[in-house]
Amino acid sequence: PADAARPLLPDTEPVSLLDPTGTPLPARTDYPEPAVDLLRELYRRMVVGRRFDIQATALTKQGRLAVYPSSRGQEACQVGAMLAVRDTDWVFPTYRESMALVSRGLDPIEVLTLLRGDWHCGYDPAARRTAPQCTPLATQCVHAAGLAYGEAHQGRDTVALAFIGDGATSEGDFHEGINFAAVFKAPVVYFVQNNRYAISVPLSRQTAAPSLAYKGVGYGVPSEQVDGDDPVAVLAVLTRAVEHA
């Protein structure tokens, strides 16, 4: 019999469409390169995102923000993911996704409201289809699964994209959320950004798996690895993931 797990397995190496110098790699049929105008917009948003991140970091050092978890170095993930989802889809960010929210079109002042210590998140989650930035690790995995299931149950074409870090994959909420989504066919994409160090714990103390992408296989969820420094690959892989969801 055919191996049912085979279609769920990620590539052994992260998907890349650019080399470290920015030179295009040979084209792939499974992940075609996005259109040129979309790539220009991707680059524009990355530049804006980097500038926003620098300014927010400065405001924190000046005492004008209570805290600001920087996204510096993760521009490809933050912006590529936002270009992959539609305006009608929902986004569930962590505390580190401020750059992603700005890329989604939220007012930077509203994005920073929560991080200056206010009692609310600064924007209307329902109107922007963007959940408040989540500080507790992985709780947004359950929220995303529940919302996506509810939307599908009501016949709406809505995908939920949940950002999580490598440390969040060690939390129970991650496993409960992804298992629920798989069993009930909830249209969710879980985007794990692995920077190899969850606050104070290295990846080697988080998991013995060859890659965090393999965690989806145990729940019947197709998974993929992607080079998080390659914005073109991130956009291509996330676009296909959203289409699949």
Side-chain angles (χ1 to χ4, degrees):
D3 183 0
R6 180 61 56 186
L8 308 178
L9 293 172
D11 283 357
T12 55
E13 295 294 329
V15 175
S16 295
L17 298 180
L18 300 176
D19 71 12
T21 69
T23 303
L25 296 171
R28 300 177 55 136
T29 57
D30 52 349
Y31 294 110
E33 182 179 296
V36 172
D37 58 340
L38 196 57
L39 296 182
R40 289 197 186 99
E41 179 62 16
L42 175 65
Y43 181 75
R44 187 191 71 81
R45 294 192 192 188
M46 287 178 63
V47 172
V48 173
R50 171 63 68 90
R51 183 65 188 89
F52 166 82
D53 192 83
I54 291 172
Q55 185 65 31
T57 300
L59 291 173
T60 306
K61 293 179 179 179
Q62 294 167 6
R64 299 184 183 189
L65 293 178
V67 64
Y68 177 73
S70 175
S71 303
R72 186 180 179 90
Q74 296 183 201
E75 291 90 347
C77 292
Q78 304 264 314
V79 177
M82 288 300 94
L83 279 175
V85 295
R86 303 162 297 180
D87 292 340
T88 54
D89 294 328
W90 269 79
V91 175
F92 288 81
T94 75
Y95 51 80
R96 199 177 295 279
E97 264 70 59
S98 297
M99 186 188 299
L101 300 190
V102 172
S103 178
R104 187 162 172 79
L106 275 68
D107 186 329
I109 294 176
E110 293 182 347
V111 173
L112 294 176
T113 296
L114 180 69
L115 299 176
R116 66 181 289 270
D118 214 321
W119 62 273
H120 61 82
C121 70
Y123 53 87
D124 181 349
R128 303 313 300 259
R129 303 181 82 80
T130 303
Q133 288 180 269
C134 192
T135 299
L137 292 188
T139 55
Q140 70 274 21
C141 296
V142 181
H143 304 159
L147 181 135
Y149 175 74
E151 289 286 282
H153 186 68
Q154 297 178 74
R156 302 191 185 113
D157 176 21
T158 305
V159 172
L161 171 65
F163 288 92
I164 49 177
D166 45 302
T169 63
S170 296
E171 297 288 329
D173 300 75
F174 168 75
H175 300 278
E176 293 156 8
I178 195 171
N179 188 62
F180 180 96
V183 170
F184 292 98
K185 299 293 186 289
V188 188
V189 175
Y190 291 105
F191 186 24
V192 183
Q193 296 177 88
N194 177 15
N195 57 24
R196 301 185 181 278
Y197 222 96
I199 307 297
S200 59
V201 180
L203 183 64
S204 60
R205 300 298 297 272
Q206 293 284 344
T207 182
S211 165
L212 294 175
Y214 288 91
K215 290 186 177 291
V217 179
Y219 299 104
V221 175
S223 305
E224 188 61 277
Q225 298 187 79
V226 59
D227 181 356
D229 291 328
D230 182 343
V232 181
V234 170
L235 177 55
V237 170
L238 264 293
T239 298
R240 181 169 140 186
V242 169
E243 289 173 351
H244 172 81

